[in-house]
Amino acid sequence: MSGRAEATTVITVRFTVFGGVSARVGGTTTEFGPTRLGALLGVLLVDAGRVVSADDLVERVLGEEPPPRARAMMRTWLTRLRQTLPGLVERDGAGYVLRVEPLEVDLHLFRHLVRSGRTADAVRLADAELLSTVDTPWARQLRAGFSDELLAARLDHADARLVRGEHAALVPELRALAAGRPLDERIAAQLIEALHGSGRAAEALRHFEVVRARLAAELGAEPSRHLTALHRRLQAASAPRQLPAAPKPFTGRAVELAELDQAPNGVVVITGTGGVGKTSLAVHWAHRAAERFPDGQLYVNLHGFGPSGAAVSPGDALLRFLAALDVPRAKVPHDLAGQSALLRDALADKRVLMLLDNATDAAQVEPLLPRTPHSHVVITSRTELKPAHAKTLPLGLLPPDDARELLAARIGHDRARAEPDAVDTVVRRCARLPLALAVAGARAATQPEFPLAALADELADLDAFADDDDVTADLRSVFSHSCKALSADALRLFRLLGLMPGSDIGLAGAASLAGLPVARTGSLLGELATANLLDEPDPGRFTCHDLLRDYAAELALEGERDEALHRLLDHLALTGVEAGVAFTPTRHRPDTPRPAEGVVVTTFGSREEALAWLVTEHPTLMAAMAHGTPEQTWLIGWALADVLDRQWHHRDLLTSQQLAVAALERLDDTDGLGRTLINLGRAFGRLDRLDEAAAALRRAFDVYEGNPAGQAAALLNIAMLCPDDRITEAIEHTRRGLALYEECGDLYGQANALTGLAWGHIKIGAHRRAVEYAERVMPMWQAMEHVIGEGETWDNLGTAYLGLGEHGKAAEAYARSCALFRRGGDLPLEAAACDRLGDAHAAAGDAGQARRAWRRAIDLRSQAGLPADLVRAKLLRLQAEG
């Protein structure tokens, strides 16, 4: 729980009506229990200090149809109560009064605390049902009225906790309240705030849509102005803001900025030579124009002119954009055309700016173009891309005055004014290229005591663009000048950074590349950043312009290249294994070699840390596989297999496993080859290439000869490929897999196989046999504390019982599976189980329970971003029949 700890208030209460009725007098507590005497005291305590008539006492204690001698009975109980609590119960006219201070009664103290704003103390006080031992119409009505008081206090308290920032801690409580009161807009607003404040913006916005749909369907109403305003505010706050930091300083380009300002929504392509400032112009303008695009700004560096293998594929860029727009993975198709169409749908009514930086050709950008009325795309490229209906904006060299201003902004205007000739020389020798001016300016800024003329003379005496074609020579001259000022270790690190296979690198990766301690490497990276030879776009991630990296690679010494690259790939492979194990602890850890000297191997304390590393390093790991030794390549493929599958990067999953298989074919590692062939089969299956999937899995089975657990895993994966018309074949593969798992004593494998057999027998209508398999596997999952496995087994039991016509057992089983999937945090599985729970209640003739289960299923499917039309159709049929 976040926020400040609440102060604990010590409350002295002499009388209670929450839970059982009790009285504490003189240090002695009397519990009255479910007695008439307790009921009488409870009635008087509710109206402490006020007269209650004799008739009201009879009705409240004995009900609306009291026995004939009710008044006499009441007098007897009053006498006994006076004896128990001497001096407190008095006769007053035609009634009786309990002479106590109201704040000595927990109910009245509760109300006082609420009025005083001490809702935390009030809610803690009302921790049991009001007058729980009294069951008369009056008591029931009193409890119903008080439940609204208590709810209001809880919601007041929730408001206070939201102000204190306790969003994540509030989500479970508010979700439970919302499930019980789905049309309560105050609860809905608080849950939306809590979800958004705990980093679950997509869930927050989807819950608003759920509430809006339910209000329309059940009340024919729209959300209140408060809820609608909250939705608009959170929508704006949740919009993706992916632009890199605005370049500082930025000067000039007034003509080009005006053209960008005046261009209508569509596509603009900024073209020009490397280092001319295309990205700086695009990013500067994008920040300036951001208010025109309140629904967000999307950015991707496509690395079209980076090292081989570093270019971002259209599919990967689409997945990044869809994730930024909170499109659930379950809705994302496998094919590029489907993903492109989904992006258009997601942006259909949004005003979004998209910046596609460093594109290589039209084929790379065309699938990313939304072509929607309110979206606007800016592309930068060294080539003249010509997407349909795009405006081209050529970018030439900085005008001389702008180039001088850019250099002056970096070295200081006073210094520039003092040496105007030297400024002109530097500008000329930097070819008026912003990249070269930035590097040269950084060099000058680090040596303010040097005359600028001396620094200008250090540059090669080249007349930039004398023949309009020697930009690279000018840049190398400037880069060489800046490198001369580096320390020996920083220059060595700069040379080695040219070898990195991806577009950026982490601190541990850079340390491994250099073979230096992490702290020392961090200092050297800082020196390179100060010299403007390196950028740190995100904390701990370092990159540099591809022209700088090309230059660095040219400087790398022959004797240091191979060892440095091997150390970096060792870091990626071995850290990847650590991340893979932390991400999926049930996977069998592969054998790994000792790291080379100087390699940093990072370990992870949680699944979330491992996932963050794998996602960040995904492009680098993919690029690295082509450069590694066979052992490094297959270990990287192993590390990527699960995360690429779960993140829906199925094309990269296929590529990585194909490379890993090719590497393992050069190694004597049958276990590694077998498990990688299973991953390859899974990748083919995800892409609906079923024949190739089956071939890979059959080969895995053959490779695993003599390894029963490996062959069993291959058989279970083959079974999952079987369509519905080949279920008996799937059952036979699973049965053979179970026998092999039993042979080698693999309990986890046995549980998977038994669960598969229960499901398979359900599919062929053998429900009694399915129950037997489910009951056999249930204690195994429970012993392993495998929540999802246990949930799937209860789900299978529910379906089997439903098939047998045992509707009560089916409903109970589905209810258990719902609870387990909720514990496991799997919304799609919980939604499916709730849907089937509704089926079971409907089959049993309980329309009310069916309606509740189906509504819950619709809510969950909406939260997960899944279609709910089929469940809604069931609700409509039920309403029509009722």
Side-chain angles (χ1 to χ4, degrees):
M1 177 182 294
S2 61
R4 298 185 303 275
E6 295 187 23
T8 301
T9 303
V10 178
I11 303 170
T12 301
V13 179
R14 295 182 60 187
F15 298 95
T16 67
V17 289
F18 292 127
V21 177
S22 70
R24 187 167 66 249
V25 179
T28 302
T29 300
T30 303
E31 300 283 351
F32 288 86
T35 63
R36 297 295 191 192
L37 195 61
L40 174 60
L41 177 58
V43 168
L44 292 170
L45 286 169
V46 167
D47 279 312
R50 294 195 296 269
V51 176
V52 182
S53 70
D55 289 339
D56 284 344
L57 284 175
V58 169
E59 182 182 334
R60 294 179 184 184
V61 174
L62 297 174
E64 295 173 349
E65 297 181 3
R69 299 185 63 256
R71 279 181 170 271
M73 295 166 62
M74 191 62 62
R75 285 194 293 273
T76 302
W77 294 331
L78 283 163
T79 299
R80 290 176 55 194
L81 187 59
R82 285 170 166 162
Q83 293 168 350
T84 306
L85 302 173
L88 296 183
V89 180
E90 297 179 1
R91 178 83 183 241
D92 190 326
Y96 296 86
V97 62
L98 186 67
R99 298 295 184 187
V100 297
E101 286 294 327
L103 294 187
E104 293 179 341
V105 182
D106 55 2
L107 171 62
H108 302 293
L109 180 57
F110 166 87
R111 289 169 174 160
H112 169 75
L113 292 170
V114 170
R115 288 192 298 271
S116 304
R118 296 164 61 189
T119 51
D121 293 332
V123 170
R124 276 197 294 269
L125 192 61
D127 62 349
E129 187 178 50
L130 178 62
L131 290 180
S132 61
T133 57
V134 183
D135 188 21
T136 62
W138 171 82
R140 291 192 291 272
Q141 185 177 358
L142 180 72
R143 281 193 288 271
F146 180 74
S147 68
D148 292 335
E149 285 186 63
L150 179 58
L151 176 63
R154 290 179 67 184
L155 298 184
D156 287 346
H157 184 41
D159 281 337
R161 293 176 66 190
L162 287 170
V163 170
R164 290 199 298 269
E166 299 177 21
H167 298 90
L170 271 168
V171 168
E173 177 184 337
L174 290 171
R175 201 186 284 287
L177 285 173
R181 303 174 73 97
L183 299 177
D184 189 311
E185 294 188 67
R186 184 181 180 191
I187 296 173
Q190 289 183 336
L191 177 55
I192 289 169
E193 286 258 29
L195 287 167
H196 190 273
S198 54
R200 297 153 74 174
E203 280 186 68
L205 296 174
R206 283 197 292 269
H207 188 68
F208 172 83
E209 297 301 332
V210 168
V211 174
R212 177 160 64 183
R214 177 163 278 182
L215 286 168
E218 299 191 22
L219 302 179
E222 288 293 317
S224 66
R225 274 189 288 182
H226 169 71
L227 195 56
T228 303
L230 172 64
H231 176 249
R232 280 198 301 268
R233 176 167 61 82
L234 297 188
Q235 231 179 359
S238 303
R241 313 288 180 193
Q242 295 187 323
L243 294 177
K248 292 181 181 179
F250 182 89
T251 61
R253 303 299 191 193
V255 173
E256 291 85 355
L257 288 169
E259 288 195 47
L260 287 168
D261 285 337
Q262 294 161 14
N265 285 346
V267 180
V268 177
V269 183
I270 303 173
T271 61
T273 189
V276 80
K278 299 181 296 296
T279 297
S280 292
L281 170 64
V283 172
H284 175 78
W285 177 83
H287 277 281
R288 201 171 78 164
E291 289 186 1
R292 286 172 47 187
F293 306 98
D295 295 318
Q297 301 91 45
L298 299 170
Y299 172 86
V300 64
N301 186 343
L302 295 169
H303 296 292
F305 296 89
S308 175
V312 176
S313 69
D316 190 36
L318 279 166
L319 288 176
R320 295 185 197 182
F321 286 163
L322 291 169
L325 293 165
D326 290 322
V327 176
R329 287 283 184 183
K331 293 182 68 175
V332 179
H334 298 302
D335 62 297
L336 188 65
Q339 293 168 358
S340 185
L342 186 59
L343 179 66
R344 286 194 296 274
D345 290 344
L347 296 178
D349 58 350
K350 294 184 184 298
R351 289 177 290 171
V352 167
L353 172 65
M354 181 183 293
L355 177 49
L356 308 178
D357 194 18
N358 201 10
T360 182
D361 54 34
Q364 190 183 25
V365 300
E366 194 63 47
L368 308 178
L369 303 180
R371 308 288 190 187
T372 54
H374 306 297
S375 61
H376 187 55
V377 183
V378 176
I379 304 170
T380 71
S381 179
R382 292 182 201 172
T383 61
E384 193 173 340
L385 306 182
K386 292 186 177 179
H389 308 296
K391 172 183 173 58
T392 300
L393 180 59
L395 194 63
L397 301 176
L398 275 173
D401 287 346
D402 289 346
R404 283 190 284 270
E405 173 59 27
L406 179 59
L407 182 62
R410 289 189 172 275
I411 66 174
H413 286 83
D414 290 343
R415 190 177 181 190
R417 280 192 292 269
E419 298 185 72
D421 292 340
V423 168
D424 288 343
T425 301
V426 173
V427 165
R428 187 183 74 252
R429 291 176 179 172
C430 286
R432 287 185 279 137
L433 289 167
L435 174 62
L437 288 164
V439 174
R443 168 82 168 92
T446 59
Q447 294 180 309
E449 72 281 2
F450 275 39
L452 190 59
L455 297 175
D457 289 341
E458 291 180 12
L459 296 171
D461 190 12
L462 296 170
D463 288 327
F465 285 94
D467 297 317
D468 251 7
D469 62 357
D470 204 5
V471 179
T472 303
D474 291 302
L475 285 169
R476 283 178 178 158
S477 172
V478 175
F479 296 164
S480 173
H481 163 66
S482 286
C483 286
K484 289 176 183 175
L486 296 174
S487 67
D489 283 348
L491 177 59
R492 173 176 173 270
L493 178 57
F494 177 67
R495 292 197 304 263
L496 297 180
L497 287 172
L499 306 177
M500 60 184 184
S503 60
D504 59 3
I505 194 168
L507 177 57
S512 300
L513 185 70
L516 294 172
V518 169
R520 175 61 178 153
T521 304
S523 298
L524 297 176
L525 290 168
E527 184 179 344
L528 294 175
T530 301
N532 227 81
L533 297 171
L534 193 69
D535 290 320
E536 189 176 4
D538 296 302
R541 301 296 300 179
F542 301 89
T543 188
C544 59
H545 196 286
D546 52 87
L547 293 176
L548 277 164
R549 186 159 50 185
D550 289 345
Y551 177 72
E554 292 174 9
L555 297 180
L557 305 177
E558 195 63 37
E560 66 186 2
R561 286 172 178 265
D562 292 344
E563 289 185 3
L565 186 57
H566 183 85
R567 285 193 301 268
L568 174 58
L569 293 170
D570 246 14
H571 160 75
L572 293 171
L574 300 180
T575 300
V577 169
E578 297 296 330
V581 170
F583 181 65
T584 313
T586 54
R587 292 177 79 190
H588 175 63
R589 183 191 190 100
D591 294 331
T592 54
R594 289 179 59 85
E597 186 176 354
V599 172
V600 178
V601 179
T602 306
T603 57
F604 303 90
S606 68
R607 181 182 185 276
E608 290 70 27
E609 288 179 13
L611 174 60
W613 186 89
L614 288 164
V615 169
T616 300
E617 297 286 0
H618 162 207
T620 299
L621 291 166
M622 290 296 299
M625 292 187 76
H627 301 280
T629 65
E631 191 167 35
Q632 290 169 334
T633 298
W634 103 259
L635 288 175
I636 292 173
W638 181 91
L640 283 169
D642 259 26
V643 72
L644 292 181
D645 190 22
R646 297 191 198 183
Q647 295 281 311
W648 287 58
H649 291 284
H650 294 140
R651 282 186 294 274
D652 279 358
L653 174 63
L654 177 61
T655 300
S656 66
Q657 300 315 298
Q658 287 173 324
L659 289 170
V661 166
L664 282 157
E665 287 170 340
R666 299 164 58 191
L667 298 170
D668 183 19
D669 188 345
T670 55
D671 181 65
L673 180 58
R675 71 172 78 185
T676 306
L677 284 166
I678 289 174
N679 289 334
L680 180 61
R682 188 194 315 168
F684 278 127
R686 295 288 192 248
L687 297 169
D688 293 326
R689 295 165 62 173
L690 301 184
D691 290 342
E692 292 163 291
L697 293 170
R698 285 194 295 270
R699 185 182 171 198
F701 183 86
D702 294 339
V703 164
Y704 270 132
E705 184 177 0
N707 182 334
Q711 289 194 319
L715 287 169
L716 262 62
N717 278 273
I718 291 171
M720 286 189 284
L721 291 176
C722 294
D724 283 355
D725 59 356
R726 290 168 49 198
I727 291 299
T728 54
E729 184 181 332
I731 290 173
E732 184 52 36
H733 288 313
T734 307
R735 188 177 284 118
R736 288 176 60 199
L738 174 61
L740 288 167
Y741 278 132
E742 289 174 337
E743 178 185 327
C744 63
D746 187 325
L747 294 179
Y748 181 78
Q750 291 174 45
N752 270 320
L754 288 167
T755 303
L757 286 172
W759 174 85
H761 282 82
I762 287 169
K763 297 290 284 186
I764 63 172
H767 297 111
R768 187 61 63 191
R769 189 79 175 115
V771 169
E772 293 173 5
Y773 279 120
E775 289 178 340
R776 180 176 165 190
V777 74
M778 183 72 77
M780 299 172 70
W781 288 127
Q782 290 170 338
M784 287 185 274
E785 297 183 352
H786 199 294
V787 172
I788 297 298
E790 187 182 349
E792 288 176 337
T793 303
W794 279 112
D795 196 65
N796 284 336
L797 275 171
T799 306
Y801 285 136
L802 196 59
L804 292 168
E806 300 180 33
H807 304 140
K809 286 186 175 181
E812 181 183 352
Y814 283 137
R816 290 188 179 224
S817 69
C818 287
L820 287 160
F821 291 145
R822 192 177 308 121
R823 277 178 56 199
D826 197 310
L827 282 179
L829 286 178
E830 185 186 354
C834 281
D835 183 10
R836 290 189 282 270
L837 175 59
D839 294 342
H841 286 311
D846 191 337
Q849 293 280 25
R851 189 178 294 109
R852 278 188 283 275
W854 283 334
R855 284 175 176 163
R856 174 71 175 155
I858 291 170
D859 289 353
L860 289 168
R861 291 186 72 82
S862 298
Q863 290 171 32
L866 299 171
D869 294 345
L870 293 177
V871 189
R872 288 194 183 93
K874 293 178 185 180
L875 266 176
L876 290 172
R877 283 197 300 272
L878 188 66
Q879 290 169 357
E881 293 167 1

